[in-house]
Amino acid sequence: MFIVYGCYGDTLGSYYDNLPHDLIAKGWKIALCHVRGGGEMGISWHNAGKGVNKVNSMTDTIKCLEFLHEFHLTTPSQTVLQASSAGALVAARVAQKAPHALGKLVLRMPFLDVGRAMACPGLALSEEEREEWAGEEGAREICPTSGQFTGPSIPTFITTGVNDVRVPLWHVANFLQAHERHLKGKCFVNLLQGDHASFDEGASQMELKFVENQERGRVVSRILDMFR
């Protein structure tokens, strides 16, 4: 499992998370990818991956994936890319740009429609994050919702909160609607009756089943019907 964030100058640390720990117990390898946009190398590292430079976060992630494959630490079909919140924007764009490098995609409370978020000043986070995402125009270039997949669809698992104010449900709904045909039959969505912090052990176990090929795509039509 390959974990990425790369946003807001935050450091992706060796934190406790049930999913990777459960996978390690089953013999999996876990890799943390410190891409530009994060804070691992200081302010300059963050600046090199924010605003008009945000695409560097995606480029770094793809290079890290290719490095692991080149040195036979894993194979593309065995690679699961996992990201949360704003980091999901990076992961989803990587899935669109380099589907050959991934086997599965796991997104938690994902911030996927940055284009709409930047176009709506009244939304939570929008004003304070214009610099991070280069405003409305810059956001369109890095937005997974408006972006296109360049290859075959990747099995995808998304966990989102119905009452999430920080990253509203329409982020997932707009992403699914934009790519409904491409993701059909390949996407599983776990709807939590909670907010941005409602991810729990039960949600982690559902991710684990998906990673281990025990869960198939469903629920997508239900979410889209809510917004039609």
Side-chain angles (χ1 to χ4, degrees), residues 150-166:
T150 59
S153 59
I154 299 170
T156 301
F157 187 101
I158 300 175
T159 301
T160 187
V162 173
N163 301 311
D164 191 342
V165 176
R166 188 174 179 84

Side-chain angles (χ1 to χ4, degrees), residues 6-7 11-12 21 23 53-54 64 72-73 87 89 119 123 125 132 149 171 189-190 193-195 205 213 221 228:
C7 301
T11 298
L12 180 61
H21 281 76
L23 290 174
N53 298 319
K54 191 63 206 172
C64 287
H72 307 292
L73 296 173
L89 179 147
L123 292 175
L125 306 177
E132 184 72 27
F149 286 85
H171 275 274
V189 180
N190 180 21
Q193 298 300 317
D195 57 17
Q205 286 301 308
N213 299 312
S221 59
R228 284 185 175 130

